[in-house]
Amino acid sequence: MKKTILYTILALVGVCTMKAQCLTKLDSGNYFNYGLKPNGTLWNWGSGAAFGQLGDGMEADHHVPTQLTTATNWQSFTCGTYYVLAIKANGTLWAAGDNSTGQLGIGSSAIYSNTLIQVGTATNWKQVGTGDFFNIAVKTDGTLWGWGQNHQSQMGDGSCCADRLSPGQIGTATNWKMAAAAGAGTGMAIKTNGTLWGWGNNNISGLLGPSTLSGVQTPTQIGTDTDWETMSLGIAYILALKTDGSLWSWGGGGYGENGDTLPPTYFRDAPVHIGTFTWLKVAAGFRSSYGIRSDGTLWAWGLNDAGQLGDGTTTNRMQPVQIGTNRYRY
């Protein structure tokens, strides 16, 4: 997504709040937020009325951060458009919120769940990436999995177009490192050997190659590089870091979200190197991008119509601009 929302700068730098205890992770869906404390407790706030995405059974908004369940063994989580997926330290996966295309993975066609429900019985979930209505995940055994909407072959198993209501394995490889999902219906993953793979919708974004290619039904290697480290997917573009800390981007770039010097109307169908700086962390949102450089400074670029870049203006930025003077650790 990662997802059709605007990323907040807080998702990169973390926050110290809620009785002065820092959050180790923060993520946002549409009008709601989740945070994880160092003590393993999960918190949320914002809108819960649409699909019960706050998971407390109330289907009401939270105006202040509120603890979700008494469990103290939450390890990670990620927010979809109107849903959340969370992994406990014991490797179990849990979900709440919108399930209109099976994106909760609970094996049910129920429209939504307003409480956290365990996804299957597996105890080896490692990492999950959420799109708008589908998810791509990696288990600790290095296998790759997908579930949810499949109308653009985003399940990566050669099928189209029935939704998948529970996790299904993608291929047989056991060397997957991390996975991500774009709002435009594209799945991408990095293997432990540093190669990058993609599948699903290509449409006019160029995420998977030339825009004349409508899509790919199974994971296909992108380029030949073997030094990809991590990535973040926006609605139809990607920000990716290599092992040397260099930043690369491609896909749709109509508002400057790619951060390069190419015309904003140009769809990049191959990785473009962004500047010469080294980066620690990047995050791609709806059409806005954020990153922390190796010196700890915070930068943002792309769509800024609501001031989401945090630079004190509402001017779109075609290239990264520094936000404030603080230095952050990640």
Side-chain angles (χ1 to χ4, degrees):
M1 180 203 314
K2 155 133 179 32
K3 58 206 97 172
T4 56
I5 62 168
L6 298 176
Y7 248 89
T8 65
I9 294 176
L10 297 178
L12 278 177
V13 303
V15 293
C16 291
T17 182
M18 296 188 290
K19 299 181 181 179
Q21 188 176 67
C22 291
L23 294 174
T24 59
K25 178 177 173 60
L26 176 69
D27 200 11
S28 302
N30 273 15
Y31 307 106
F32 73 101
N33 312 281
Y34 269 73
L36 181 65
K37 283 188 178 182
N39 63 6
T41 57
L42 194 60
W43 298 69
N44 59 38
W45 61 100
S47 174
F51 296 97
Q53 58 267 32
L54 298 185
D56 59 0
M58 302 297 291
E59 298 182 34
D61 297 344
H62 291 171
H63 296 160
V64 296
T66 304
Q67 186 173 343
L68 177 61
T69 81
T70 59
T72 58
N73 64 337
W74 294 106
Q75 181 172 280
S76 65
F77 68 91
T78 183
C79 295
T81 309
Y82 287 106
Y83 65 101
V84 65
L85 297 170
I87 299 175
K88 287 186 175 182
N90 61 10
T92 57
L93 178 63
W94 300 74
D98 182 20
N99 190 47
S100 56
T101 61
Q103 61 265 50
L104 296 188
I106 56 177
S108 167
S109 58
I111 299 301
Y112 68 94
S113 173
N114 59 17
T115 58
L116 284 171
I117 299 178
Q118 186 174 347
V119 180
T121 59
T123 58
N124 61 341
W125 293 104
K126 175 185 178 181
Q127 179 260 331
V128 182
T130 55
D132 281 349
F133 299 100
F134 76 104
N135 315 288
I136 305 298
V138 174
K139 288 186 175 182
T140 56
D141 62 5
T143 55
L144 187 66
W145 298 73
W147 64 96
Q149 191 180 71
N150 192 36
H151 72 300
Q152 293 174 312
S153 297
Q154 52 263 63
M155 291 299 96
D157 61 358
S159 69
C160 183
C161 298
D163 297 337
R164 180 180 288 169
L165 303 183
S166 58
Q169 188 173 347
I170 300 173
T172 59
T174 58
N175 62 338
W176 295 103
K177 175 184 176 181
M178 71 164 295
T186 308
M188 302 185 82
I190 297 175
K191 287 188 174 183
T192 55
N193 61 11
T195 56
L196 178 64
W197 300 70
W199 63 94
N201 179 40
N202 193 52
N203 201 2
I204 58 173
S205 68
L207 276 173
L208 305 178
S211 58
T212 53
L213 177 68
S214 61
V216 178
Q217 291 192 327
T218 57
T220 302
Q221 188 172 349
I222 298 174
T224 59
D225 292 347
T226 59
D227 56 350
W228 296 107
E229 176 67 22
T230 189
M231 61 181 165
S232 178
L233 299 186
I235 185 172
Y237 75 105
I238 180 175
L239 300 176
L241 295 182
K242 289 192 173 184
T243 53
D244 63 0
S246 60
L247 174 60
W248 300 73
S249 183
W250 63 100
Y255 294 87
E257 57 265 43
N258 294 107
D260 56 36
T261 58
L262 297 176
T265 55
Y266 178 72
F267 287 88
R268 299 132 183 88
D269 57 11
V272 178
H273 190 190
I274 311 304
T276 59
F277 295 95
T278 56
W279 300 79
L280 297 176
K281 175 71 173 178
V282 289
F286 178 58
R287 291 188 174 94
S288 306
S289 302
Y290 308 93
I292 296 176
R293 286 185 179 172
S294 56
D295 63 359
T297 55
L298 178 65
W299 298 71
W301 59 101
L303 183 64
N304 196 32
D305 59 334
Q308 57 266 44
L309 298 187
D311 65 349
T313 77
T314 56
T315 301
N316 296 342
R317 300 296 183 178
M318 299 296 107
Q319 294 178 276
V321 294
Q322 187 171 348
I323 308 302
T325 58
N326 290 338
R327 296 178 184 268
Y328 301 91
R329 292 181 298 172
Y330 177 81

